[in-house]
Amino acid sequence: MLKDLFLISQVKKGDIKAFEQLFRNYYSPLYHYAMSIVGERDAAEEIVEELFYVIWRDRGKLDIFRSTKSYLYTSVWNSCIQYIRQRQKENECYQNMQQLLPGHTDSLEEETEYHELQALVEACLTKMPDRCRQVFQMHRTEGLKYTEIANKLDISVKTVEASISKALNILRKEIESYYNERP
């Protein structure tokens, strides 16, 4: 514990070697902990990497009032819960959209409604900010994972998550508005 407190004090001073030691000591156990919670390798890696990034970025403001280990595990826990909630929200929105966009229809009326909705989605995509639309299409059309998109666009997975969430919110609002305006 004293060793960790010393490492933290050195990190606060900008000592990169101390930061690297802290990273080496905790990355693997934190990764396995995150993996046990979220069940996705890429997400677990991103959560732990983001934690260490924030520690380095905000090192001057870093105040750990309990053990370093407790602080790190609590931070990972909170990030995992946030990630799970975000994924659930996205999945619910996507499932709602899927219900509105059936794969096949039985009647001419349903067929017409399907095409109207498809046109609405296409129109809505053109109104989205470029990056948001690009990320959404890479994920939904090309089937790329968040980390693959992040790597291709040189952005963080958090930015990908935010873009997907924003796109789904825009689509949901447009679809709700369309159906509320219909007679």
Side-chain angles (χ1 to χ4, degrees):
M1 184 166 156
L2 289 175
K3 183 179 179 185
D4 287 344
L5 290 175
F6 175 74
L7 285 175
I8 292 297
S9 70
Q10 293 304 107
V11 168
K12 286 175 76 167
K13 295 176 184 175
D15 183 345
I16 189 71
K17 297 267 188 222
F19 176 75
E20 288 171 352
Q21 185 62 46
L22 185 70
F23 183 87
R24 279 193 298 275
N25 291 350
Y26 285 101
Y27 180 83
S28 184
L30 289 172
Y31 164 77
H32 291 292
Y33 179 62
M35 181 64 185
S36 73
I37 298 168
V38 298
E40 297 176 26
R41 295 175 74 156
D42 293 340
E45 286 176 3
E46 177 66 25
I47 287 167
V48 176
E49 289 169 3
E50 182 73 15
L51 170 64
F52 281 104
Y53 167 74
V54 169
I55 287 173
W56 182 252
R57 183 191 69 200
D58 298 340
R59 64 189 173 275
K61 299 180 260 180
L62 193 61
D63 286 323
I64 297 178
F65 299 108
R66 54 184 181 251
S67 78
T68 303
K69 182 177 181 179
S70 175
Y71 173 83
L72 294 172
Y73 276 85
T74 300
S75 296
V76 167
W77 168 261
N78 290 335
S79 294
C80 287
I81 296 304
Q82 182 181 9
Y83 172 80
I84 290 168
R85 285 182 181 148
Q86 180 68 28
R87 292 293 292 195
Q88 286 174 339
K89 195 173 172 184
E90 288 174 10
N91 286 337
E92 286 172 14
C93 186
Y94 184 70
Q95 286 172 356
N96 290 339
M97 286 177 46
Q98 288 299 96
Q99 290 173 357
L100 293 172
L101 295 170
H104 67 283
T105 57
D106 295 329
S107 72
L108 182 58
E109 184 178 320
E110 287 177 338
E111 184 76 25
T112 303
E113 188 172 326
Y114 172 76
H115 288 295
E116 286 175 6
L117 193 54
Q118 199 171 25
L120 176 66
V121 169
E122 289 299 320
C124 188
L125 285 173
T126 63
K127 294 178 187 175
M128 286 182 192
D130 291 340
R131 176 60 54 94
C132 184
R133 179 180 58 250
Q134 182 182 22
V135 168
F136 182 79
Q137 288 177 321
M138 290 173 83
H139 181 62
R140 298 296 180 185
T141 307
E142 298 174 32
L144 297 178
K145 294 181 181 179
Y146 286 12
T147 51
E148 294 171 321
I149 297 168
N151 290 335
K152 280 189 173 193
L153 299 179
D154 196 28
I155 57 177
S156 74
V157 173
K158 296 269 188 213
T159 302
V160 172
E161 289 173 7
S163 295
I164 297 286
S165 182
K166 183 177 182 178
L168 289 172
N169 282 331
I170 291 170
L171 283 169
R172 181 181 46 79
K173 286 177 184 173
E174 288 287 327
I175 290 170
E176 285 175 358
S177 173
Y178 175 78
Y179 278 102
N180 288 336
E181 292 173 1
R182 291 181 75 189

